[in-house]
Amino acid sequence: MLRNTQDILEKINILKNLLLNNNKNNVLTGAGISTESGIPDYRSKGTGLWEKFDPMKYVSVTALMTDPKKFFDFNIPTWTKYVNAQPNIAHKVIAKLEEMGYIQTVITQNIDGLHIKAGSKRVREVHGHLRTCHCMECNRTYPFEEMANQYFAGKNPPHCSYCNGMLRPDVVLFEDPMGKDYLKALEDMEGCELLVVVGSSLQVYPVADLPSFAKKLAIINKEETPWDRYADLVIHESIGEVFRHLADIMQINVN
Ligand SMILES: [Zn+2]
């Protein structure tokens, strides 16, 4: 249950009014929105994946090119869990808010695809996604399962069946340039009246700069962020609880 319930409920009411009273509202989401779908956070103190593993050694272009076997050993089992995860109440309420016209664009740092699974239509996956992979030689695109199936059948690293080039996921690895969705996200931030940050610690650049393009800022995150002191509203609380209450007071039905 919520700590300081009265206080939090008042804040959720302010969030509702911010959504209703502004016209161009975007949402920016990070790993924290997906933890309740069973996907581990990267940077939380004590439990974050990158507290135990150096991302440069496991999810960088250098890691892929110098030791592809180790790269796929580390990543394919994790990514397979992401692919099988299901959206939670926060993803679902955000999709409904878009449908109702209160949210224009969802910008996400997550590669789990859960916003699209939840029904969000206008989604910018600035770090890529796990629906597809491609051949590094001939650029052919395959479903993610092609890479995963080869891996689990003992073919590591997985290869293109056409030219035998190595396959790689369509995610933005460390050392990769930002993808085209990031440029679209920048365009979407033009004239943004309200940005609602959900489950991002706003520490990974360039995404951490996006709040500077919004007139108003609301942050829902379990932990403090560097942007908290500039925000119009800050809620440090379970994201699932916040969206459950928001759904209640806005009479949004999710199943
Ligand atoms: Zn190929």
Side-chain angles (χ1 to χ4, degrees):
M1 196 47 209
L2 296 170
R3 284 176 279 133
N4 311 317
T5 306
Q6 194 55 38
D7 190 35
I8 304 290
L9 291 181
E10 273 169 31
K11 286 187 171 185
I12 295 171
N13 205 43
I14 294 171
L15 177 62
K16 172 192 161 184
N17 288 331
L18 281 168
L19 286 165
L20 264 52
N21 297 331
N22 289 284
N23 289 316
K24 189 172 178 186
N25 308 332
N26 294 336
V27 174
L28 170 62
T29 69
I33 193 175
S34 293
T35 52
E36 289 177 39
S37 291
I39 290 176
D41 201 345
Y42 295 100
R43 289 165 200 281
S44 290
K45 284 200 181 74
T47 57
L49 205 56
W50 301 151
E51 289 226 323
K52 285 181 272 179
F53 302 100
D54 176 1
M56 286 303 290
K57 286 189 184 147
Y58 294 96
V59 283
S60 65
V61 175
T62 303
L64 173 64
M65 300 312 288
T66 55
D67 196 346
K69 192 176 177 305
K70 184 172 123 185
F71 175 91
F72 288 107
D73 276 337
F74 182 81
N75 289 303
I76 294 273
T78 315
W79 287 340
T80 301
K81 278 184 212 155
Y82 293 13
V83 168
N84 293 326
Q86 295 305 318
N88 63 53
I89 184 145
H91 299 102
K92 291 176 185 174
V93 171
I94 288 170
K96 285 280 182 188
L97 288 169
E98 180 186 357
E99 196 182 301
M100 294 159 80
Y102 295 123
I103 287 171
Q104 270 64 58
T105 307
V106 179
I107 302 164
T108 185
Q109 297 170 283
N110 300 337
I111 58 171
D112 54 38
L114 292 178
H115 286 294
I116 288 175
K117 267 191 191 169
S120 285
K121 299 282 185 276
R122 197 176 160 94
V123 182
R124 308 304 186 204
E125 295 168 309
V126 298
H127 291 156
H129 59 78
L130 292 170
R131 290 182 294 281
T132 54
C133 60
H134 71 272
C135 170
M136 294 176 76
E137 299 297 328
C138 73
N139 248 345
R140 268 185 172 68
T141 293
Y142 295 89
F144 173 81
E145 287 70 24
E146 171 68 23
M147 200 171 64
N149 290 346
Q150 283 194 37
Y151 173 84
F152 288 117
K155 291 180 199 158
N156 186 13
H159 280 92
C160 172
S161 54
Y162 182 79
C163 81
N164 211 37
M166 191 162 70
L167 299 180
R168 63 153 290 175
D170 287 330
V171 302
V172 177
L173 302 172
F174 286 82
E175 302 167 325
D176 266 333
M178 293 300 284
K180 60 181 189 307
D181 266 30
Y182 179 68
L183 297 176
K184 288 185 192 164
L186 282 177
E187 285 171 21
D188 292 320
M189 287 305 297
E190 278 175 32
C192 175
E193 291 182 13
L194 170 68
L195 181 67
V196 183
V197 176
V198 183
S200 172
S201 47
L202 297 172
Q203 285 172 27
V204 180
Y205 287 89
V207 174
D209 271 335
L210 291 179
S212 64
F213 299 101
K215 287 198 187 84
K216 288 184 185 145
L217 181 62
I219 297 175
I220 307 161
N221 196 48
K222 271 194 170 171
E223 294 169 353
E224 286 180 16
T225 84
W227 279 94
D228 283 6
R229 63 203 191 100
Y230 306 107
D232 300 89
L233 175 68
V234 178
I235 306 178
H236 292 153
E237 197 44 71
S238 147
I239 290 165
E241 289 293 331
V242 170
F243 278 90
R244 210 161 279 125
H245 284 276
L246 184 68
D248 277 350
I249 60 172
M250 292 186 77
Q251 294 170 330
I252 295 171
N253 282 316
V254 287
N255 35 38

